[in-house]
Amino acid sequence: MNCHPIEIENLFHSYGKRELYHSLSLTIPKGKVYALLGKNGVGKTSLIQILMGFMRPNGGECRVFGDPAHTIRPKTRERVGLLFERHLAYDFFTIEQAEKFTRSFYKNWKSDLYYGLVDKLGLPYSHRIANMSEGQRSQIVLGLILAQDPELLILDDYSMGLDAGYRRLFIDYLCENLKDGEHTVVITSHVIQDMQNFVDELVFMRKDKPALVTSLDTFMEEFTCYTIVFKNNEGDIRKRLSHMNSEIVVNTEWHKDYVQLFFYASSDIILKELQKLDLHDFSVQKSYMDIEDAFIGYTGRY
Amino acid sequence: MNMFSLSKPGHALRRSSVLSSIFYKESIKTFPMALGLFFLNTCFMIWNFVVLRQLFILDHSEVVWYRVMNLGQIPYQDLMFIPLMSAIAFCLFQFLEEMRDARIRISLHLPCDSSSIVLFHAFFGLVFLSLLFSFDIIALLVMLRYYFPSEICFSAFVTTLPWFLAGLFAYLGGTFVLLEPQIKRKSLGVVITFIICLELLSFHSTAYYENIIYVYFILLPCMFYSIAVSADDYRNRWA
């Protein structure tokens, strides 16, 4: 039976009184790259922990290739490459020892992928992982995961501790090896702009709000920002904005002289809404957003 | 729980390969500690030999023999806590590294049964400690045989065996406690290990345990398999 790499149904989970997921449902089909996005503490890493069976949820079901998440069979785990937060590795190993140890567990092991990536570091194979920088270690861990030739890759905050060069190297290597429609990737990161050319689908997780699942293209097309410059008329503009339809306004960010309104709707609806506000005496401009602006606009600055 | 559940025929070879891979990893990880413990144990046995030799220099042989054979004094009593301390040090070195940033998840994500993976880790520790303790026992027996008849050597073997067993129990108990996420079970593990070690290290008389030591050899596998429970709890813990 062909099962989706990941299926989440009505997931409930809470830490004490703080509810993390309320009936979260999500299906991740084969061949897609999904980004789990959200501010710190919304439950991205917890979701990965649950999916990989390191934590039991309070309710609902999570399945990985059809296996319940907390009882994933070894055979299924072989199909999943997992990058833990902070590029967790057994750092007492040398480059060579890490490969020798890991390869014994995977029948489709591809040493050339590992050494291809490791060679870029220009380090001797006898170099210990403990003596590497965070960036170098990230390449070792990525090499070990890619060499497993997994069908599903789960990368939890791959960008943590990496400078721009290593982040680019990481993403480029993922693009070259995984964007083939055969591999499914779930990725979380706080550095959103790196993902623009890599991800297909976005999952926005927000505190106390349902998750939004959308394609990157649709999101960038329909998520819009308008800037209204008010200078000394803040009170007036606040009054007018209070009459706005809150269903289409996702977020409002107030600055010293201007306010940014973030809408998630088609442009016709947004323009009608703006007309209702009668803003002809203010400067109103549609603002260009890159993916990071859009992410912050959607989830809020704080 | 599904211990050693690699049931398909093709997996039979795999289990030995997993075991050898875990041993490979653990031997690299614990090498500095293993070397240190062998060195310290060797130093201790040499010191013990010097102390024993001194007894015969300071007193007549007859007096020393009388003390050991009739009064039941044991000239190697300082050895009592060495296995326990060695086992605790080794357990901490081996498993704190795994618990640091929950690195054990790397091993638990490997495509093998999680309980088997953890049990293989503990088995490695048991093998190492058994080798270390065998070295200590052999060194002690050789040393004693140099000065005493074989009856004393046998008596020393039976007297010190509970001390070495206490080391193995401390290692298994420590492993359980480090891995177990539930506070109640963790506490229970501490209490059980403490009671067993206390009993084994309470000196009664030479060869006191001669007839009941087998009970502890039965308990040892139970303690070993309890680690699989802690591995299972670790995987299925509630946040």
Side-chain angles (χ1 to χ4, degrees):
Chain A
M1 193 175 67
N2 272 335
C3 299
H4 291 299
I6 290 176
E7 290 165 283
I8 300 169
E9 273 175 41
N10 298 320
L11 183 68
F12 283 84
H13 195 66
S14 57
Y15 288 109
K17 284 181 182 171
R18 194 167 75 85
E19 197 171 69
L20 214 53
Y21 317 115
H22 182 87
S23 196
L24 174 67
S25 293
L26 174 68
T27 298
I28 296 184
K30 185 184 169 186
K32 292 278 185 185
V33 180
Y34 272 69
L36 293 183
L37 304 176
K39 290 198 280 192
N40 286 337
V42 293
K44 303 184 294 290
T45 297
S46 296
L47 184 61
I48 288 175
Q49 298 260 57
I50 290 170
L51 282 171
M52 288 295 92
F54 290 116
M55 215 161 82
R56 248 182 209 273
N58 299 138
E61 263 190 72
C62 289
R63 285 187 295 275
V64 177
F65 290 113
D67 283 4
H70 57 277
T71 52
I72 302 177
R73 290 170 301 159
K75 210 174 162 186
T76 305
R77 274 208 291 276
E78 196 170 357
R79 300 165 73 185
V80 184
L82 179 58
L83 178 120
F84 294 98
E85 214 173 16
R86 280 181 284 168
H87 314 109
L88 227 54
Y90 284 125
D91 52 12
F92 47 82
F93 279 142
T94 63
I95 291 173
E96 199 172 15
Q97 287 166 343
E99 196 266 344
K100 191 181 170 192
F101 169 68
T102 319
R103 119 182 128 204
S104 59
F105 293 93
Y106 296 91
K107 58 174 184 279
N108 297 327
W109 186 258
K110 292 180 173 169
S111 289
D112 50 328
L113 275 176
Y114 175 74
Y115 284 112
L117 194 54
V118 163
D119 286 343
K120 289 184 200 291
L121 301 175
L123 295 170
Y125 295 160
S126 57
H127 196 90
R128 276 187 69 187
I129 296 172
N131 299 330
M132 290 180 185
S133 70
E134 182 90 28
Q136 289 170 330
R137 197 171 72 236
S138 73
Q139 300 306 297
I140 298 293
V141 177
L142 179 63
L144 289 173
I145 292 171
L146 290 178
Q148 293 166 25
D149 194 23
E151 293 167 52
L152 168 66
L153 277 96
I154 298 181
L155 310 170
D156 189 8
D157 208 352
Y158 78 92
S159 60
M160 191 182 269
L162 301 189
D163 63 24
Y166 273 116
R167 289 204 317 268
R168 181 62 63 85
L169 180 64
F170 200 103
I171 285 289
D172 285 351
Y173 217 81
L174 290 179
C175 284
E176 285 162 19
N177 291 283
L178 304 174
K179 286 280 272 182
D180 54 4
E182 291 298 315
H183 294 88
T184 310
V185 182
V186 178
I187 190 165
T188 76
S189 171
H190 289 101
V191 187
I192 314 296
Q193 69 266 33
D194 289 353
M195 296 188 180
Q196 192 131 22
N197 299 320
F198 182 53
V199 301
D200 303 311
E201 304 284 326
L202 305 175
V203 180
F204 282 101
M205 298 172 71
R206 293 186 299 167
K207 204 177 166 188
D208 303 326
K209 288 177 184 165
L212 169 76
V213 184
T214 177
S215 74
L216 176 64
D217 294 340
T218 309
F219 181 72
M220 293 308 287
E221 212 173 278
E222 295 195 356
F223 191 67
T224 329
C225 174
Y226 280 86
T227 303
I228 305 169
V229 180
F230 53 73
K231 297 259 165 84
N232 299 319
N233 292 324
E234 189 179 345
D236 185 18
I237 199 78
R238 273 189 189 274
K239 201 173 159 187
R240 291 189 202 197
L241 293 184
S242 65
H243 301 299
M244 242 177 1
N245 179 357
S246 60
E247 278 181 17
I248 63 162
V249 184
V250 175
N251 186 21
T252 310
E253 294 285 357
W254 290 90
H255 299 264
K256 194 180 167 212
D257 292 326
Y258 63 96
V259 59
Q260 287 177 307
L261 300 176
F262 295 93
F263 298 91
Y264 194 53
S266 65
S267 31
D268 298 346
I269 298 171
I270 296 168
L271 289 173
K272 266 186 207 167
E273 194 63 28
L274 288 172
Q275 275 166 7
K276 274 199 278 178
L277 297 174
D278 190 22
L279 294 166
H280 65 271
D281 45 342
F282 291 95
S283 152
V284 182
Q285 275 184 339
K286 186 177 177 181
S287 308
Y288 165 79
M289 287 189 294
D290 62 18
I291 187 172
E292 186 162 280
D293 297 328
F295 167 75
I296 293 167
Y298 192 80
T299 58
R301 283 187 295 177
Y302 44 82
Chain B
M1 194 172 25
N2 198 8
M3 279 181 283
F4 293 109
S5 65
L6 302 169
S7 50
K8 289 183 184 173
H11 282 160
L13 263 177
R14 194 87 181 273
R15 194 194 296 174
S16 63
S17 140
V18 171
L19 181 66
S20 63
S21 297
I22 296 295
F23 268 51
Y24 174 72
K25 174 190 144 222
E26 291 304 292
S27 60
I28 291 169
K29 181 174 78 183
T30 60
F31 182 72
M33 176 51 92
L35 205 64
L37 285 176
F38 260 113
F39 177 73
L40 289 175
N41 276 254
T42 308
C43 290
F44 178 81
M45 295 317 285
I46 291 170
W47 176 77
N48 225 349
F49 179 75
V50 171
V51 169
L52 193 65
R53 190 168 165 269
Q54 221 168 8
L55 282 179
F56 284 91
I57 293 170
L58 295 174
D59 276 320
H60 287 293
S61 303
E62 291 82 0
V63 176
V64 178
W65 278 45
Y66 174 74
R67 280 199 212 141
V68 172
M69 298 173 86
N70 295 78
L71 301 181
Q73 288 181 356
I74 41 178
Y76 46 86
Q77 195 163 0
D78 292 335
L79 179 68
M80 188 184 253
F81 291 99
I82 296 296
L84 182 81
M85 288 191 292
S86 301
I88 291 173
F90 191 74
C91 172
L92 290 176
F93 191 86
Q94 190 185 3
F95 285 100
L96 279 183
E97 174 65 25
E98 296 289 339
M99 302 319 284
R100 186 165 59 97
D101 296 326
R103 274 174 169 73
I104 196 163
R105 287 178 300 168
I106 300 173
S107 290
L108 292 179
H109 182 67
L110 291 168
C112 308
D113 176 57
S114 305
S115 303
S116 307
I117 288 264
V118 175
L119 287 178
F120 289 160
H121 279 76
F123 184 56
F124 172 84
L126 283 181
V127 169
F128 167 73
L129 289 173
S130 302
L131 284 175
L132 181 71
F133 295 165
S134 303
F135 165 77
D136 287 346
I137 291 175
I138 290 167
L140 179 74
L141 295 182
V142 168
M143 195 167 71
L144 289 173
R145 189 71 188 93
Y146 188 73
Y147 291 109
F148 297 101
S150 58
E151 287 79 5
I152 288 290
C153 290
F154 179 73
S155 159
F157 176 72
V158 180
T159 304
T160 54
L161 203 55
W163 305 348
F164 292 107
L165 267 178
L168 297 182
F169 275 109
Y171 171 77
L172 292 175
T175 304
F176 176 88
V177 169
L178 284 176
L179 291 176
E180 175 59 52
Q182 293 182 31
I183 296 292
K184 277 183 190 171
R185 288 189 182 179
K186 214 186 248 289
S187 312
L188 187 69
V190 172
V191 171
I192 290 173
T193 309
F194 183 75
I195 290 171
I196 293 175
C197 291
L198 194 70
E199 180 56 26
L200 286 168
L201 293 172
S202 302
F203 180 69
H204 300 279
S205 62
T206 47
Y208 173 79
Y209 281 100
E210 197 173 348
N211 295 321
I212 54 164
I213 199 82
Y214 70 91
V215 175
Y216 291 94
F217 278 105
I218 294 169
L219 266 179
L220 206 59
C222 300
M223 195 90 168
F224 177 70
Y225 281 106
S226 72
I227 290 169
V229 177
S230 65
D232 208 45
D233 285 346
Y234 186 86
R235 242 204 183 283
N236 293 305
R237 69 193 187 278
W238 301 81

